[in-house]
Amino acid sequence: MTTEFDQDEVARQVAEKLREKFPDTDAATLKQIVNEEVAVLAQLPVHDYVAVLSERAARKRLKKLD
């Protein structure tokens, strides 16, 4: 069973989740970082773990901003 991959929806969900963990981070900065990380992973042939991996990568980058 194949599910349709919606890059925008994944980015929205990841940004929403990280907004709770990084409430003091500028929303535009957070969204940009998440979009960049999702875009990189979306180029791969398998999309099963894009949300988890992009969240992890974005969280790492956001922690460096603090």
Side-chain angles (χ1 to χ4, degrees), residues 2-64:
T2 304
T3 58
E4 192 66 34
F5 176 73
D6 184 347
Q7 183 173 338
D8 294 330
E9 179 62 20
V10 170
R12 187 194 64 74
Q13 289 174 3
V14 171
E16 187 177 298
K17 200 171 191 182
L18 288 175
R19 204 168 285 127
E20 295 172 8
K21 296 178 182 181
F22 297 92
D24 297 333
T25 302
D26 177 57
T29 301
L30 187 140
K31 186 176 179 179
Q32 178 183 352
I33 289 172
V34 168
N35 285 335
E36 289 171 3
E37 296 299 335
V38 171
V40 168
L41 294 168
Q43 296 175 15
L44 300 174
V46 177
H47 297 128
D48 293 345
Y49 302 104
V50 170
V52 173
L53 295 174
S54 60
E55 179 185 347
R56 186 177 297 159
R59 186 181 322 121
K60 200 174 196 180
R61 287 178 61 185
L62 290 165
K63 283 182 180 181
K64 289 180 182 181

